[in-house]
Every structure is written in C-alpha cells, then in structure tokens.
Amino acid sequence: MQKQRAYIAHHGPELLDSGTTRFRLWAPDARSVSLIVVGAQTLPMTANEDGWYSIDAPYGAGTLYRFLIDDELQVPDPASRAQAGDVHAPSLVVDTSSNYLWRNPNWLGRPWEETVLYEMHVGLYGGFAAMEKHLADLAELGVTAIELMPIAEFPGDRNWGYDGVLPYAPEAAYGSPEELKHLIDTAHGLGLMVFLDVVYNHFGPDGNYLGRYAKHFFRHDQQTPWGDGIDFRRREVRDFFIDNTLMWLLDYRFDGLRFDAVHAIPDRSFLTELAERVHASVEPGRHVHLVLENEDNRASLLTAGFTAQWNDDGHNVLHALLTDESQGYYADYHQDATTKLARFLGEGFIYQGQNNRRGEARGEPSGHLPPTSFVLFLQNHDQTGNRAFGERLVSLADVDALRAATAVLLLSPMVPLLFMGEEWGARQPFLFFTSHHGELADAVREGRRNEFAEFAEFADEATRERIPDPNALSTFEDSRPDFTARQEPGHAEWYALYRELLSIRHREIVPRLQGARFLESRVLAQAAVLSRWQLGDGSRLRLELNLGTQGAPLPTASISGELLFASREATHAHDQLAPRMARLYLEKAT
C-alpha cells in the first residue's frame, strides 16, 4: 500500500496502491475529459461535482499520461509531479511520498537566526546532481542555507524559472524528482537548509492550458504585469497552490520557501491561510521558514505566519550609495540617501507609508519587528540580472566601499543572502535568459530591449540591439560562474573576506540574535551613519558606516566595546570615521 501522506492533495494523481492511480482534473469549462495512457488506452473520466473529473485506473508509478479535453485537445496534468520531457510532453505518475529512502530522516532544520542564504540557479550548475558537488564548499564557507531559483517545469531547458507552468513538476532538464531529493538530503547531511523560490502570482506564456478548460482559475477584472490575475477567491485555486507548498515542504523536505512577488496576490487571506496550513502540517519541532518578496512592504504579514521578507529597500539604498545610480527605481533611494540609509538600518523598511517617486504611498511601519525579519542582500538574481548587461557589483563600485557594505551585509543582525559567485568577486555577468522559440522568442527579445528604452544610455535603438538576446545559448553560457576562480589573484581576497566575516557572524552574532531589536540609527555626515541594535543577551552591536568620500565625525562620548571588524585601516583621528569604511563593535552585557 502507498504510504499515507501527511496532507491531502486535492490536485494531481494519487497512487492508491502499487498498481492503481486516481487521476483527477478540475475542468469546469470542459464538456468531457478522458485519460490518455501513453502506449495503452484512452479512458473516459467521470464528471463529478464542482467541475471535477476523476478515474481510478489500473496503472502505477512510471505511467505516462495526458488528458483529452472535449475530444480535441491533449494537455498535460497541471499538477503533474514530473514530465517526460518539456511542458507539452506527457505527464509522469510519481510516487512522491515514499519513493526515496532518506539518509537524514531526523533532520529538523535550523533556527532562523542561524540562516545565511546563498541563492543559486540550478541550470547554471548543471542540474541537481552536479550542484551537489558544490555544497561542501558552501558549508565550509559559513553558508547555512541554499536557495534555489524556481525549478517548476518551464518551456525549454534554459530559463530563470519564473516562466513556470507546471508548479508541481521539477524541471526535467535539471534531473528527476529522486535526484532533487538526493540533493536536499545531501545538503541536510552537511548541515545546510534548502529553500525554494516559488511563483504563485502567474503562469508562464507557453504551456499553460488552464484558460481553455478552467477559465475561472483567473479573474479578468484584476491585472498583473503578466496578464489576468489568479482568482484566489476560489477554493480549488487556493488548494492548488497550498497543496503545492505542502508538497515541497513535506514530500521533498525543503526547509523553507521564498514566495515571489506576493504584491501581485492582492488576496491577503490566501497568504495567511497558506501560512496557517503550513504551520499546522509540519511535524513538531521542525524548523520551516516562509519568506516573502513583497514590494508593498506589508510588515503586518511578518506577524501573520511569515518569517521574513527580502529587504529591497536596504539593497536599493546601498546600491545607490555604492554606484551613484539614480535611474528607474533607484530614483526613490538616491535622493536623501543618507537619511534613508539610517532609516533602513534603524527600522528595516525605508518606505513605511511614505510616497514614492510616482506619488504612491508604499509600506507599513516596521521598526517594531526584529531585525531578523529582514533578508538583506547586495546582489540577487533580480538586481543583477535585470541590468541590461548583467554586471555584478564588483564591477560597479569602489572596492573599499564595497568591502564596507559587505561587512554590513554579513555582520548586521538582519539575515544575509549571497548570490552565487559573489563570495569570490565573480565578474561573469548574470543575464536574463530563456529558451523560447518562434514568435514568442521574438516578443521576449524585443520586450527585453524595450524595457531599457527610458534609460538615457539606451535611448538609441542601435544601442539596445547590443543587449544580449535572452534566447541565445551564449547568453546562458556567459552567465555561468567560473567556479574554479576563487583561488586566483583578485578573487581569493574576496573569498577570504567573506569567510572571515561569516566566521565572526557565527561566533559573535548568531548566538545573540534571538530577541534582537532595533535601537537607534543616526546620520553622521553625507553617506555616513551610526546604528545600534540590542541583541538578545543584553549586549549591543554598534555599526559605524561611512560610504562617502570624506571623513565623518563620530560622537565625542566614548563608547566601550570589542572591535569585531574594521573594513580598512583607520586614517583619521579617533573621533573621525575614514571614508568608505565600516567598523562593528560588540558592547557585551555586564
């Protein structure tokens, strides 16, 4: 008999025993649905209440199948657990709950305070199996959690993953479900948590057939950047995504999920229900973390079952100060940047209800939240890959200023996230890539280039033609980090810095993080601030940061404390902070 699941899966195939599978499809707009078993027979499915079709068929794990809609259209299962190829290929019955013998079955994860995230693109590593070879090095560096960019089945074999159309199926080009589980199991054996980026705000443009037989999966009165919004008012739709969350966490034993762009999911009750279901379903004592990306800075969600949010505000103001860039959304941070830097370090979000450059109010108060509610980063897939040429920060910023910002990233009480290759100062770009074909490929190429038309340096069409074609194989290959470079001159120094800072973090910061809170943050001079945090054991962490080009005066009152790290040698008097410098002190509780 099939091992009992820890949750009820409403969508997708269910193995009833080794030779019988229950197939089901929510298709309220279909007149008829049949099951096509590849190499065998076509079986009419029974119409049930509320638009459901189902059949118990004498086929087990490994069966290839499709659904036939109205005797005219063959489609994959939208809740396919694996595909026999690309998104248009047959779906595959998979025994997701008991087909893998876990080597670390007692792994319960790690407390959030211990988290050091490392964002990775599976395809650039060569797939699930090839990625395993890099895990030991990451653990040795001081990383405690890897975060995979989306792996849900997408069209073609090269994609960032945000064009996924079959959310339950791991991308076939990356490997099998068993290889994914082996990757996660190996990570757990090294003490690494594994997070997954999931996309619940839209489906990709190629391979999504839901609109044909389940039109009310979407709502035409609500638009997103990707088209009609998803109708989370419907029970079937909510279950589709909540069950997907539970599958990743319970069947695959991911330690956490990062939810992409939830500002495009206006139904807050769906998000809170999802968090409630997760916390009610995981086994006692297990650490599972739910992290948001949310441009709305909705701080209240961080007291409603969600662990933390990516802090775009923090990244954006640091980036503006490091590069002096002011176009696009950096305009919201370039003006009065020092005051905004102080607010970010002293309260988490910068926009807490203030108007942005478009005159729109954004955000909710966040200073009451613990600093660990915010995931801080200097680079990630968006902030690097959404640049026209995918330049990394090491190519854009002054080296001393970047060292100072790196100290903030890794020693502040916020949770740090690194982007693959960042720790050795990788200079290979990270570009936007897909593997679409025909008219869609042309539309994506032109759309990508037109995104930059409002930027002065790309006003000329000929200049925009230089932006790499997302569909070219070379765009993908050019984005692959050189994993052998970290010991080379110019890279080894960065690697040593990251290793040193992470060692300090785990020794001095992490044991004191639980119960940490914001204390104060004040402006010292242009691009210079002094910030302090109360740590959980009563000690205090003090940051003196100067990203400017002039020395900054320090308060005259002497403050004791142990110097944890200085990003460069001081060249000014004791009451001055040198340009492009960070110092962190620990004032231990008496």
Side-chain angles (χ1 to χ4, degrees), residues 307-485:
T307 310
Q309 179 177 315
W310 276 28
N311 195 348
D312 287 319
D313 278 2
H315 165 274
N316 292 349
V317 72
L318 287 168
H319 187 96
L321 285 164
L322 289 169
T323 66
D324 201 35
E325 292 181 0
S326 61
Q327 297 196 70
Y329 52 79
Y330 290 126
D332 284 332
Y333 301 88
H334 189 271
Q335 185 176 13
D336 202 15
T338 308
T339 300
K340 290 172 179 173
L341 176 67
R343 188 184 306 147
F344 140 64
L345 290 169
E347 301 177 40
F349 293 143
I350 293 173
Y351 284 89
Q352 303 179 39
Q354 295 89 344
N355 287 347
N356 62 17
R357 68 190 184 282
R358 299 189 181 96
E360 302 163 342
R362 172 173 169 247
E364 297 174 347
S366 62
H368 63 287
L369 296 169
T372 50
S373 295
F374 304 92
V375 175
L376 180 59
F377 43 86
L378 294 176
Q379 301 176 83
N380 64 31
H381 72 274
D382 267 335
Q383 307 297 353
T384 303
N386 282 336
R387 302 180 65 84
F389 298 107
E391 305 98 327
R392 291 172 176 263
L393 199 53
V394 71
S395 302
L396 302 171
D398 172 85
V399 63
D400 286 331
L402 184 53
R403 282 175 60 90
T406 301
V408 178
L409 169 69
L410 298 182
L411 295 184
S412 90
M414 301 184 197
V415 170
L417 177 140
L418 314 182
F419 185 58
M420 56 180 185
E422 172 185 338
E423 73 276 19
W424 72 81
R427 291 184 177 271
Q428 287 82 18
F430 180 71
L431 300 163
F432 177 67
F433 49 79
T434 60
S435 48
H436 296 307
H437 302 284
E439 293 182 0
L440 180 56
D442 294 338
V444 168
R445 181 191 312 108
E446 293 310 309
R448 172 69 173 169
R449 290 171 175 169
N450 289 337
E451 286 178 14
F452 297 95
E454 65 180 87
F455 291 83
E457 61 265 42
F458 296 106
D460 180 73
E461 184 175 349
T463 304
R464 294 199 298 275
E465 291 291 323
R466 294 174 45 234
I467 297 173
D469 178 1
N471 298 290
L473 178 59
S474 59
T475 303
F476 173 79
E477 293 295 344
D478 288 346
S479 300
R480 195 188 303 275
D482 180 358
F483 300 109
T484 67

Side-chain angles (χ1 to χ4, degrees), residues 223-227 263-264:
Q223 293 298 302
T224 75
W226 309 281
H263 49 270

Side-chain angles (χ1 to χ4, degrees), residues 536-586:
D537 67 347
S539 59
R540 294 181 174 185
L541 183 66
R542 182 172 91 252
L543 166 68
E544 299 170 356
L545 175 64
N546 182 3
L547 295 177
T549 58
Q550 303 295 321
L554 290 167
T556 55
S558 175
I559 304 177
S560 62
E562 174 191 354
L563 178 65
L564 295 182
F565 181 79
S567 65
R568 55 179 296 198
E569 291 186 10
T571 58
H572 287 61
H574 70 280
D575 61 348
Q576 291 280 312
L577 183 62
R580 293 170 173 165
M581 182 176 184
R583 282 197 298 243
L584 286 108
Y585 294 87
L586 182 65

Side-chain angles (χ1 to χ4, degrees), residues 4 43 46 95 108 143 170 180 192 232 262 324 331 360 369 398 404 413 418 439 441 484 506 514 573 588:
Q4 183 65 37
L43 303 171
T46 301
D95 182 357
L108 294 176
V143 168
L180 173 57
L192 292 169
F232 290 98
V262 300
D324 201 35
E360 302 163 342
L369 296 169
D398 172 85
L418 314 182
E439 293 182 0
T484 67
H506 288 300
Q514 189 171 12
K588 293 183 179 178

Side-chain angles (χ1 to χ4, degrees), residues 228-265:
D228 289 346
I230 294 172
D231 194 349
F232 290 98
R233 298 170 300 181
R234 294 186 173 272
R235 181 76 264 159
E236 296 85 356
V237 175
R238 287 187 175 222
D239 286 340
F240 183 88
F241 292 106
I242 292 173
D243 289 353
N244 182 253
T245 291
L246 294 174
M247 180 196 76
W248 293 125
L249 295 174
L250 301 179
D251 291 349
Y252 284 90
R253 300 194 65 78
F254 278 96
D255 299 278
L257 300 177
R258 181 260 194 189
F259 297 89
D260 178 70
V262 300
H263 49 270
I265 302 175

